[in-house]
Amino acid sequence: MIELKHVSKWYGSFQVLNDCTTHVEKGEVVVVCGPSGSGKSTLIKTINGLEPFQQGEIVVDGMSVGDRKTNLPMLRARIGMVFQGFELFPHLSVQKNLTLAQVKVLGRHEEEAMHKTRTYLDRVGLLAHQDKFPGQLSGGQQQRVAIARALCMDPIAMLFDEPTSALDPEMINEVLDVMVGLAQEGMTMMVVTHEMGFARKVAHRVVFMDQGRIIDDCSKEEFFDHPRSERAREFLAKIL
Ligand code: ADP
Ligand code: MG
């Protein structure tokens, strides 16, 4: 579903991604971890074309992201992206936040969009809050709205960039529970997170990054039980 081949990216003379090769199969959950500044956010943003890259190739569902002929806005609409900071429109109700892109980008009829909106708000347990504004919700609730918004677009895959790291501890689980549910239903997911409990529970593979490179890319069993690189061992010792 997602394939990165020898992807490199520079900011000026600083190389932020160094020859990154990995893949996410359909229905697979890949957790990406590594120290701050190692390039995790950049890597995940190159997949839906939010960040250009200079070398290598990225193919999503048969479409080459770097190819100028690819319809990037349409590809992006089909890849759900959930960030650390929710990124909801503060001046729109929860319901409007969910229907907007369905109508504007996918061209759905209002009625069908409303149906999807209710389905997914219910799914994340927030149907009763549909007329509120994001600022009236807790961080955990806002992040669940952001996930529901992505799901309304019928994504072929979901990308998460540290979705729980801006949340108070008591709200982390309500968001992780929604993500675990998605994983168990077979959603294709790439998740940047340091929540190793989540990784142990649902990840198929773990990608470990350091200084722009993919240092380890292996099954979660191998990553947790016998990490190959010294740097992954040091990293795990610090966060576990
Ligand atoms: P991570 O998500 O693993 O913390 P990032 O992908 O955000 O890492 O950043 C990787 C490196 O790239 C960091 O050293 C960061 O300072 C640098 N970086 C990120 N965005 C930019 C930018 N727009 N311009 C220059 N350097 C950047
Ligand atoms: Mg980051």
Side-chain angles (χ1 to χ4, degrees):
M1 182 64 79
I2 300 172
E3 187 160 26
L4 292 89
K5 288 185 221 162
H6 306 291
V7 173
S8 291
K9 174 182 173 71
W10 287 261
Y11 285 119
S13 61
F14 173 70
Q15 187 164 11
V16 57
L17 296 178
N18 191 337
D19 197 23
C20 293
T21 296
T22 188
H23 59 98
V24 187
E25 303 294 325
K26 194 171 181 346
E28 198 174 32
V29 178
V30 174
V31 161
V32 181
C33 60
S36 175
S38 56
K40 306 179 298 294
S41 296
T42 306
L43 184 85
I44 211 160
K45 283 188 208 148
T46 58
I47 293 172
N48 67 352
L50 279 177
E51 285 281 0
F53 52 96
Q54 285 84 34
Q55 276 180 16
E57 194 183 13
I58 301 179
V59 178
V60 180
D61 197 27
M63 285 173 280
S64 177
V65 177
D67 188 339
R68 253 176 267 154
K69 280 173 279 175
T70 299
N71 183 345
L72 260 193
M74 198 38 86
L75 180 66
R76 212 171 274 155
R78 299 183 57 209
I79 304 174
M81 178 104 202
V82 175
F83 299 95
Q84 195 178 102
F86 326 138
E87 322 253 330
L88 299 169
F89 296 114
H91 60 292
L92 298 180
S93 69
V94 164
Q95 182 220 96
K96 270 273 171 218
N97 262 281
L98 270 65
T99 52
L100 189 68
Q102 294 184 66
V103 174
K104 297 267 185 228
V105 180
L106 300 182
R108 270 189 193 143
H109 290 295
E110 195 79 32
E111 216 166 283
E112 192 193 347
M114 275 306 297
H115 177 72
K116 282 262 183 217
T117 295
R118 279 193 296 267
T119 302
Y120 284 113
L121 276 180
D122 192 30
R123 164 79 191 268
V124 301
L126 292 171
L127 189 52
H129 299 273
Q130 63 175 336
D131 296 321
K132 290 190 178 164
F133 288 88
Q136 296 173 294
L137 302 177
S138 72
Q141 289 172 328
Q142 288 184 57
Q143 195 60 301
R144 281 147 65 202
V145 170
I147 294 171
R149 180 173 64 175
L151 293 173
C152 281
M153 304 296 280
D154 294 329
I156 54 173
M158 291 279 289
L159 309 176
F160 292 86
D161 189 1
E162 303 207 33
T164 60
S165 56
L167 298 176
D168 293 334
E170 72 271 21
M171 294 172 190
I172 290 176
N173 280 332
E174 66 190 62
V175 172
L176 289 178
D177 286 348
V178 171
M179 293 167 59
V180 166
L182 283 178
Q184 287 172 342
E185 279 169 29
M187 176 64 80
T188 306
M189 295 163 67
M190 193 164 198
V191 184
V192 177
T193 186
H194 291 162
E195 292 291 337
M196 291 298 132
F198 172 82
R200 276 185 192 276
K201 203 167 187 174
V202 295
H204 298 101
R205 291 199 350 267
V206 177
V207 166
F208 176 73
M209 292 187 71
D210 193 25
Q211 298 183 355
R213 288 177 188 272
I214 292 177
I215 305 273
D216 274 312
D217 182 350
C218 55
S219 73
K220 77 169 163 205
E221 290 79 11
E222 193 176 349
F223 183 73
F224 288 118
D225 300 339
H226 323 276
R228 257 176 283 184
S229 68
E230 182 60 33
R231 274 180 273 189
R233 278 194 290 274
E234 282 168 17
F235 175 79
L236 281 171
K238 266 186 226 151
I239 66 163
L240 290 180

